[in-house]
Every structure is written in C-alpha cells, then in structure tokens.
Amino acid sequence: MKGPEMEDLKEQLYSSWPAEDVPHPMKNSSDDDKYRYLQVLTLLIDADDEIMDEEIEYLNRMVKIFGLKNGTLGKLIKFVQLPDTEEMRKTMSVFYDKRGYSLMMDLIFLSWSDDEFHPKEREFILHCSNLLGITLEKLHVMLKIVESVRKRDAERLNELIEEFREVKGDPEMIKFYWSSLTA
C-alpha cells in the first residue's frame, strides 16, 4: 500500500505519535529492555505468517521513538526467523510491571496496523496478557480504547479511561496512546 491510502493509515494510527507532552512509557527503560519490547512486537507481526509493509512501518516508527540505533529493525527481522522461546519467557518477565500495559497497547495497535486482526494475532495477544498478568477485563477495555483512538472518538475514550480505572488499570501508563485526542 502506497500513496494517499498509506498516508491516511499513518495519520489514523500515529496521530498522537510522538505525543508532544506524554513520552512513551518505555522512554526511560534501558536499550536492552526497549529491544526486548520490540522483539515481542516482532513476534506478533509474524504470528499470521505474513509480514505486511504497515507492520514493518509500525516497528520502524517504534525503533525511532525509542531512539535505538540503525540496524535494529534488521536485527528484529532476523530474530523473528529463529526466535528463542526460553529467551522470550525471560523477556516477558521483564515487563511484569506497569510497562506491560504499554506492551499490550502496542501489540493491539500493531495487530490492527494492516486493518485485519488475525485470529493468530489475537491468540498471541491473549497469551502475552496471560504472561503479563493482565486480566481479561483489563485487556477488553484496552481493546476498546484502541478502537476509540482509531476512530478518534474522544467522548467514548473518556468513558473508557474511567472504565479502565474501575478494573484497576493505570491509565497513566497508556496515556501516550490517547493524549492527543483528549488535549
């Protein structure tokens, strides 16, 4: 996909990126943690056995937001060809804190970057939420938040932020994703 359609998609997905007032929750993490975070995202884009240009663009944008060095995207693509399962278990345990919310939001946004939420991507996201200790209730609200951001529905988004609090989620950890809609 190229041309005006791709620009519309970028505007829809990245309208708040990089957020002017709200940094990505991984901003102060180590480069190693940022790379591990991107490894998880890379595994998602391969979950449906087809890596789309939009998914690569999303990853590339994340590499830039994280300020990682050139060549990181290539390393991530090589990683996905021969992932180390044991390494991934360790990686997921690194995000068993509030950064896990951010990881889930990026996974959800990434799964929609090609406008198709593939069943294998859904399965991967459910598995990750389980490993991160994120309840189905929180995950459900996060999915609705992503939908509201994609539709630019600020009114619904405000309701969902309250709903996220009600299920004991921390909206501050995902503010990066919706800050431009409520400003």
Side-chain angles (χ1 to χ4, degrees):
M1 182 186 307
K2 300 242 188 243
E5 298 88 10
M6 184 58 156
E7 289 307 312
D8 289 345
L9 179 62
K10 283 183 190 177
E11 180 61 29
Q12 180 183 23
L13 288 174
Y14 311 127
S15 58
S16 64
W17 292 12
E20 291 181 23
D21 298 326
V22 180
H24 191 282
M26 289 294 294
K27 181 181 181 359
N28 295 322
S29 297
S30 70
D31 284 354
D32 286 343
D33 282 358
K34 290 175 183 176
Y35 184 75
R36 286 183 183 110
Y37 187 99
L38 293 176
Q39 283 179 314
V40 177
L41 296 180
T42 306
L43 287 174
L44 175 73
I45 69 169
D46 192 48
D48 62 0
D49 300 320
E50 186 176 357
I51 299 175
M52 306 295 289
D53 289 344
E54 296 87 354
E55 294 167 326
I56 295 295
E57 176 66 28
Y58 190 102
L59 270 182
N60 193 39
R61 190 165 186 93
M62 293 302 297
V63 168
K64 289 177 184 172
I65 287 170
F66 286 178
L68 296 175
K69 58 187 170 189
N70 289 339
T72 300
L73 187 60
K75 282 175 53 179
L76 289 166
I77 300 303
K78 285 181 184 173
F79 162 77
V80 81
Q81 294 168 352
L82 290 167
D84 180 343
T85 309
E86 187 55 36
E87 181 66 26
M88 285 316 300
R89 281 194 189 97
K90 288 186 226 171
T91 292
M92 293 304 285
S93 68
V94 168
F95 302 110
Y96 199 81
D97 58 18
K98 290 185 178 184
R99 294 177 303 172
Y101 291 151
S102 168
L103 181 56
M104 291 310 302
M105 290 295 287
D106 276 320
L107 287 169
I108 296 165
F109 269 108
L110 180 56
S111 68
W112 277 110
S113 67
D114 59 359
D115 283 333
E116 180 186 350
F117 201 162
H118 193 278
K120 288 183 179 180
E121 292 171 334
R122 190 172 301 127
E123 184 179 315
F124 184 84
I125 286 172
L126 285 169
H127 182 67
C128 287
S129 70
N130 186 40
L131 289 173
L132 293 169
I134 294 175
T135 65
L136 288 177
E137 292 83 13
K138 287 179 190 171
L139 180 60
H140 183 68
V141 176
M142 293 168 96
L143 286 162
K144 292 189 289 185
I145 288 172
V146 169
E147 181 181 357
S148 292
V149 170
R150 291 183 81 229
K151 291 180 178 179
R152 304 191 62 70
D153 185 350
E155 186 176 320
R156 177 72 174 127
L157 182 60
N158 285 321
E159 294 169 6
L160 291 168
I161 291 166
E162 280 307 309
E163 192 175 326
F164 195 57
R165 281 188 181 99
E166 290 170 13
V167 295
K168 308 270 189 272
D170 183 355
E172 286 302 309
M173 290 308 294
I174 59 173
K175 189 175 185 178
F176 170 81
Y177 303 94
W178 47 263
S179 60
S180 71
L181 289 181
T182 58

